[in-house]
Each structure stands twice: as C-alpha cells, then as structure tokens.
Amino acid sequence: SVIQLFNIYPSTTAYVCCKACYCLYWIDPHSPSPSYPDRCTNQTSLRRCNAHLWKTKNTRYSEERVPIREFTYRDVADYISQMKSREDIAEWLSDDPVKRPSDPDNAWDIWEARALQEFKFSDGGRFTSSATESRLLFGLNFDGFNPGGNREAGKVNIYLVGIIPGPDGPSTDQINHLLKPLVDNFIMLWRTGLYLSRAHSHPNGVPVRGAIVPLSCDLPAARQMAGSANYMHTNFCSECKLKKSDMNDLDRDSWEPRTWEEHKYQAERWQNAPTPDACAQLVKEHGVRWSQLLRLPYWDPTRFTLIDSMHAFYLRIFQHHIRKIWGMDIKFEDGEGITHDRSANTPGESDLQNAHHIFHHGTLSQLHTLPRTTLVELCRDTGSLSVSGKKEVILNRMCQYLVALILEEVRRIPSKLAGQLLTPPQCLWRGIEGGRPKAPRPKPTRVLGRETLKQIWSDMRSLNRPSWQANSPVKPSEKKWGKFTADQWRTFCTVNLPVTLIRLWGGAEEGSIERRRLDNFMYLVTAVKLTTMNPINEERIREYKYNMHQYLKSLLELYPATQITPYRHLSLHFGRHLRMFGPVHAWRCFPFEHYNFLLQSISTN
C-alpha cells in the first residue's frame, strides 16, 4: 500500500467523493450511522447533482453500506509535525533559507532568486524572516498517472496531499472541490498558524506558519489548478493576452501582459455568473475561471504559475521538432522532411487536382465548399500562406492572396486594355474544365531518415558519456524501443544529435539548407542548455531569450507550414521565470514525476 511503501502512518481525513461532480462529504469516523447524504446535494446554477454517493457491499454475514468513491486527505498540520520531528532535516527547517547571496548578480538556488526574496508576510516583512516562528514555503504540483505507465525522475521530500479517485479525472472547475481542504489548511497556516508542542529543534514547542508559492505542473494541470483557460483555447496564454490566431507573432514587446488584479476580477465574475453559458462566455472572452487557490490572499496566478522546463523543453519542444518537423523515421529516405510530406490525413490526388482548379479558376462559392484539410493543402502549396485558424480564417487569407495576384496581373497590362478586364470575382471564375496540370507528387522523405539515423546510431555506440546521464534508446525511431522519457530526450537532443549533425551538416556552405537546419536546431539546444546552468544571471537570461527567439524565427522561415505551439510561445516568457525563481533544478517536475512513478508501481486497484 501507499502507507507501507513510503513508511508513513499519517493522520488522514476521509471524504465521500461524488462520482459525477467530485463534491466532497466528510465521513465522521465516530458516527455509528453514515454522516453523509444518500445523494449529492451540490447545487449548480441550473440543477442539483443528485448522484448516488453509496453502494451496498456484501460481507460474509450481512450487507454493508460503503461510499462509491472515497478521497483520503492528509492534513498539512500532520505533515509539518512529522517533518519537524525528523533529526536529519530539523536544522534546514529551522533556519531562514532566504538569505541575501554574497553575489547579488547570481542566483544559485530558488532561495536566492527574486520571487522568494520578495515574498512578503501581511506585516510587510519578508515571509521567512521571523525570530519567533518557523516559516515554511511549499510548491504545489498536480498530475495524473496511468497505473500501467512508466515514469522516471529524482528524489525529494514531498507532502502527498491525496490521491484523487479515478478512473476519470475532475473537470476544469470540479478540481475546486478537491482543492478546498488544502486551501482551508493554508489559509489557517497564513492567518493564525499552528503551534507544535514539541519539535526536534524546539523541545519547548514552536509556532509555525506556511504558504504555497510556486505551482509547477504540466500545462493542462497548471491551467486547471490556476483557473486559466486550456492551452488550446483562443485565450491560450496565461501570461499575456495574445490570441491563438496570432500565435506566430514573435514580437514580445507587443504582447499585453496579464495582471493579478484583472485575473481576480474576471474569476469573481465567473464565480458569480448565473448560468453555465454565462460562465463559458466569460472564459471565451477573458480566458479565466474561478480557482480555490485564489482564496489564498497572497497567491498571484500570473507570477506563481510556472512553466515546467521538463515538460516544455524535453517532452514537448524537443520531441515536436524531432518527430513532427524532422519526422524521424527509419522507414523513409533522407530528404526535405515531413513538412513537405502530406501523405497522412490529406485529400486524394484527384481531390487536390480539382481543388487547385477551383482555387485558380473557380468561384468564391466553390472555394467555400472545400473542406478545411483541402484548404490547408492549397495554402501549403503557395509556400507563403499560413495554415493556422478555422476554415473561415483560412478562406479569408486565401481570398486576399488571390486578390493580390489579380492586382499584380492588372499592373502588368497596358492601361488602354485595363477597362476590358473582368472584375475580381469574375476573374476567379474560369469554369471547371481545363485546369492547370499538377506535377507528380514527390516521394515522402524525412530529415532524420534512414541514412542519417544510421549515422546517429553509429556515433551513439562509440560515444562515451558520463554515468549519471540517461541513455537514449539504442535505436531511436524504432517502435520496439518504446517512447522516450524526458531524460532520454535531453540526452538525445543535447548530446547525440549535435555530435552527429555537426559532423554531417557543419561543413555545408553558409546558407545551404543543411547548414540552416543545423543552425536552427543549435539555437534551440543552446537555449535549453542555458536554462539548466548554474548560476542564473541577467546575462544568461538575455542569451536564453536571444537564442530561443532566433530558433522560432528561423523555424518559421525554414518550415513555412509550421505553426508556433503553445509551449513554444510560452518559452518566450520563460526568461521571467528564470529571473523570478532562479535555476530550474529547484522547481522543475522531475521529483514529482518520480513520486508518480512510485505510486504507479504499487500493485493495487
């Protein structure tokens, strides 16, 4: 069990957890009869939940009434008292960790960075600075796991708040029911604190206060916990107000930042909205919903919701570049790459021929009848049109492109003939017959195709690496070696690929496609390496921002059909997180993922 695995015997509180809405009902352990109702009484704006909360369980002698789902919560006071009793960490918990560094220009740890240095208590003083109380700061993580999955990571002391009953997870706002006991505890820790009658470093007792500061999760979980819209939403960014349709905009100075005050105001409007439709409209307009964490009087979601470097760089940006842009696959020959291979999820040859004819010779109404997948292919064939956005956005972009072509043709015709020209809508109509013949479709290729991968495998076998560094799969791209872990993506992209690709492409002429690919990828590698360095200072933050911007800028130039993803956009905000919280080793998700891995290893239902 969890208790046996982690050698803990905590004091816990049991709740009945509604299977439909995740509302919690306290189970009184001293009551001879059930202390919770038969059905869920949670009231939404339109109706009562009314889901069954219990079921009957057959025992040897009788039937027993038991909860359908149960959520066990460990009180934070119990965790703190246990930690304060440990000799091995008593000194660390008693000292003020936020001390001004001897070198104010460098942050070697999260305690030396701005966020915790500037985190104030209600009296205006630094929170961790107290001569009479023990002051503790917590980071918060929320994650899901598949019992059959596989995770790897580091090791750290972690307060396991609870395990949410499955099999499905709570929705965006249902998580608030499960957050409430935790937030209640931390409001108590902030306002009144708790008194431990005895601790290892304080045999006569000590008062303790605590606060939650950084929220470090993968992107979906972070948005759910903080009350921000999903990363695929129109208001996709929790840091600025850039719209999803403008995600390719790399001009950071033009992005309007979000503020704590506005976030709280819009969250309260959502909380007080009369109907679910009104709530949905507010999220659509502002990208904000209510979260229990906003009850904490000090918690600023715009400053304390972190972009986890493990998920962002290793599991998303590196993986997307290698698998989606370069299309790593042993089954294909080397070539221009997956950006130019449209064999998957694309219309057939005859459909494309007809679509090209309509695009260049048909009417606007005919163009509207084409599906979005076909319109995307037409945009890609122009070599310049973006493929992002809904169908209406793409159609508008294509019409503007056609009008520009027509106007260019008009300029080339003598003025005395200009009056005889057809109007633009008539120019678009040439009939269905006699379309321009299409060239044969090119053979699908990959940048990391068969020959390049063989070179990479050969170098991997002969390369001697430090023993602490994770091994990449023996033959990346072959299915039998499974998926990459975050550590394996780190090794593969920052060690194995640079070694081989610099050898293969580094000698190419300046401006050649091979050299441009290499330069583009090395901008990314350099940026990611800078985020993991110690110490963090303004010079390294500037270098990171420059290299990441150059990577994204050259990415759009090299691969016109590629779109900036939410994680790529957020990477341009990452410099602020380095400045606020210092080196990433103190706040990335590796330790939490390791804890998740241990939970997955338990043989239980």
Side-chain angles (χ1 to χ4, degrees):
S1 69
V2 173
I3 292 176
Q4 293 170 334
L5 178 66
F6 295 111
N7 193 28
I8 56 175
Y9 294 88
S11 172
T12 60
T13 302
Y15 295 90
V16 176
C17 181
C18 175
K19 65 178 181 179
C21 70
Y22 284 83
C23 187
L24 299 182
Y25 298 87
W26 177 58
I27 300 176
D28 185 353
H30 305 295
S31 174
S33 59
S35 57
Y36 53 90
D38 292 340
R39 291 176 177 266
C40 180
T41 59
N42 182 37
Q43 185 73 38
T44 65
S45 55
L46 292 182
R47 63 181 181 86
R48 195 177 189 180
C49 176
N50 212 37
H52 283 286
L53 296 178
W54 60 273
K55 63 182 178 180
T56 56
K57 179 182 179 181
N58 292 323
T59 63
R60 185 173 182 179
Y61 301 106
S62 64
E63 288 187 344
E64 182 181 353
R65 173 171 158 165
V66 296
I68 294 177
R69 289 203 304 191
E70 187 173 317
F71 174 64
T72 302
Y73 170 79
R74 186 183 185 189
D75 192 280
V76 67
D78 178 75
Y79 174 77
I80 291 175
S81 63
Q82 184 189 51
M83 297 294 285
K84 281 286 190 178
S85 301
R86 287 175 50 182
E87 180 181 3
D88 57 333
I89 59 174
E91 181 181 352
W92 296 99
L93 293 178
S94 299
D95 292 341
D96 177 8
V98 182
K99 298 175 181 177
R100 293 293 175 185
S102 56
D103 182 1
D105 296 327
N106 294 292
W108 290 87
D109 192 71
I110 188 172
W111 300 109
E112 298 178 357
R114 286 173 51 183
L116 302 191
Q117 292 279 350
E118 298 173 358
F119 185 66
K120 308 294 184 183
F121 188 48
S122 54
D123 61 5
R126 193 172 75 240
F127 178 78
T128 55
S129 177
S130 175
T132 60
E133 296 179 337
S134 176
R135 302 277 181 87
L136 305 177
L137 292 176
F138 290 76
L140 180 60
N141 172 267
F142 169 62
D143 199 3
F145 67 87
N146 181 347
N150 185 24
R151 307 274 181 117
E152 288 187 29
K155 184 178 181 181
V156 76
N157 292 308
I158 289 179
Y159 160 37
L160 178 62
V161 177
I163 300 175
I164 299 172
D168 300 319
S171 69
T172 51
D173 55 302
Q174 289 172 351
I175 189 67
N176 285 318
H177 296 301
L178 301 152
L179 276 174
K180 187 177 183 302
L182 179 69
V183 173
D184 287 344
N185 275 183
F186 273 90
I187 288 177
M188 175 272 296
L189 281 175
W190 178 263
R191 292 178 177 168
T192 62
L194 64 92
Y195 184 80
L196 299 180
S197 59
R198 186 176 181 181
H200 187 275
S201 298
H202 301 85
N204 297 321
V206 60
V208 180
R209 293 185 190 268
I212 296 172
V213 181
L215 172 65
S216 182
C217 316
D218 64 13
L219 203 50
R223 298 298 173 79
Q224 185 176 8
M225 296 282 277
S228 298
N230 186 273
Y231 64 93
M232 297 306 292
H233 193 272
T234 300
N235 297 289
F236 72 98
C237 185
S238 58
E239 304 250 338
C240 71
K241 297 182 180 180
L242 194 72
K243 301 297 183 182
K244 184 179 178 182
S245 58
D246 299 321
M247 206 182 298
N248 280 8
D249 178 9
L250 304 181
D251 182 12
R252 193 165 182 266
D253 293 335
S254 67
W255 304 343
E256 182 182 356
R258 294 184 179 272
T259 64
W260 184 14
E261 293 75 16
E262 183 180 6
H263 186 103
K264 286 196 298 183
Y265 172 73
Q266 299 300 345
E268 289 170 358
R269 288 184 64 197
W270 183 93
Q271 187 184 28
N272 298 323
T275 65
D277 287 343
C279 290
Q281 184 61 31
L282 287 170
V283 174
K284 181 179 180 180
E285 293 175 1
H286 306 287
V288 174
R289 59 173 58 86
W290 172 256
S291 167
Q292 280 281 337
L293 291 175
L294 296 177
R295 292 173 55 212
L296 299 172
Y298 53 83
W299 199 77
D300 180 354
T302 64
R303 296 177 69 237
F304 298 155
T305 305
L306 299 183
I307 303 165
D308 173 51
S309 63
M310 186 198 78
H311 287 96
F313 298 123
Y314 305 139
L315 294 177
R316 293 297 181 269
I317 297 178
F318 268 148
Q319 180 175 191
H320 190 274
H321 191 102
I322 303 307
R323 292 202 186 279
K324 300 297 183 181
I325 297 176
W326 282 358
M328 179 175 67
D329 199 324
I330 191 64
K331 300 190 296 293
F332 293 87
E333 296 179 1
D334 293 3
E336 290 187 352
I338 199 168
T339 302
H340 303 281
D341 170 24
R342 304 157 196 166
S343 58
N345 299 320
T346 57
E349 184 67 25
S350 60
D351 293 333
L352 277 175
Q353 289 180 348
N354 182 55
H356 272 278
H357 193 93
I358 292 174
F359 186 36
H360 294 286
H361 307 288
T363 63
L364 294 177
S365 60
Q366 288 177 316
L367 200 60
H368 274 268
T369 64
L370 299 177
R372 184 185 181 279
T373 53
T374 303
L375 296 177
V376 166
E377 292 302 309
L378 295 177
C379 289
R380 284 174 173 163
D381 280 343
T382 66
S384 60
L385 287 180
S386 170
V387 298
S388 65
K390 295 182 179 180
K391 180 178 177 179
E392 292 74 15
V393 176
I394 295 176
L395 280 168
N396 184 57
R397 198 178 292 138
M398 295 173 74
C399 290
Q400 293 176 5
Y401 175 81
L402 288 171
V403 169
L405 290 181
I406 293 168
L407 293 177
E408 183 61 29
E409 291 181 6
V410 170
R411 293 190 189 98
R412 297 175 182 174
I413 296 175
S415 57
K416 63 180 181 180
L417 298 177
Q420 304 175 24
L421 290 174
L422 297 174
T423 61
Q426 291 173 314
C427 287
L428 293 175
W429 172 247
R430 297 286 196 279
I432 291 297
E433 301 299 328
R436 193 169 59 188
K438 289 285 292 176
R441 291 175 67 83
K443 188 176 181 179
T445 59
R446 299 290 188 265
V447 173
L448 294 187
R450 188 177 300 115
E451 296 305 317
T452 302
L453 281 171
K454 288 179 179 178
Q455 295 285 336
I456 294 169
W457 296 348
S458 175
D459 287 346
M460 288 171 63
R461 287 192 296 268
S462 59
L463 184 65
N464 292 320
R465 293 179 295 97
S467 58
W468 53 263
Q469 201 171 67
N471 291 318
S472 301
V474 177
K475 290 186 176 181
S477 87
E478 289 191 352
K479 289 184 177 180
K480 67 178 180 179
W481 298 105
K483 295 181 178 180
F484 285 34
T485 65
D487 267 336
Q488 289 175 326
W489 277 116
R490 176 169 55 182
T491 301
F492 186 63
C493 292
T494 63
V495 178
N496 300 127
L497 285 181
V499 166
T500 302
L501 298 183
I502 290 173
R503 176 172 64 82
L504 296 178
W505 300 346
E509 292 184 7
E510 192 76 29
S512 65
I513 186 64
E514 291 84 3
R515 185 61 180 272
R516 292 174 65 200
R517 285 179 189 147
L518 178 62
D519 291 345
N520 169 251
F521 183 65
M522 292 309 297
Y523 279 130
L524 174 59
V525 172
T526 303
V528 174
K529 291 291 289 183
L530 285 164
T531 67
T532 62
M533 296 179 74
N534 243 349
I536 289 297
N537 51 45
E538 284 299 321
E539 180 181 357
R540 284 181 173 167
I541 293 173
R542 284 194 299 271
E543 289 178 1
Y544 164 79
K545 292 167 69 175
Y546 169 79
N547 280 279
M548 183 55 70
H549 186 272
Q550 288 298 110
Y551 163 68
L552 297 177
K553 179 183 176 183
S554 56
L555 184 77
L556 294 176
E557 293 170 352
L558 270 171
Y559 311 101
T562 298
Q563 296 297 301
I564 299 299
T565 62
Y567 265 119
R568 288 196 187 115
H569 168 83
L570 288 170
S571 70
L572 295 177
H573 290 290
F574 199 75
R576 184 186 69 82
H577 294 258
L578 292 172
R579 184 176 296 109
M580 291 294 295
F581 289 91
V584 299
H585 69 268
W587 46 274
R588 60 190 176 190
C589 281
F590 276 113
F592 298 114
E593 295 294 325
H594 176 65
Y595 214 75
N596 224 345
F597 170 74
L598 295 178
L599 293 175
Q600 288 173 302
S601 304
I602 302 171
S603 298
T604 185
N605 62 34

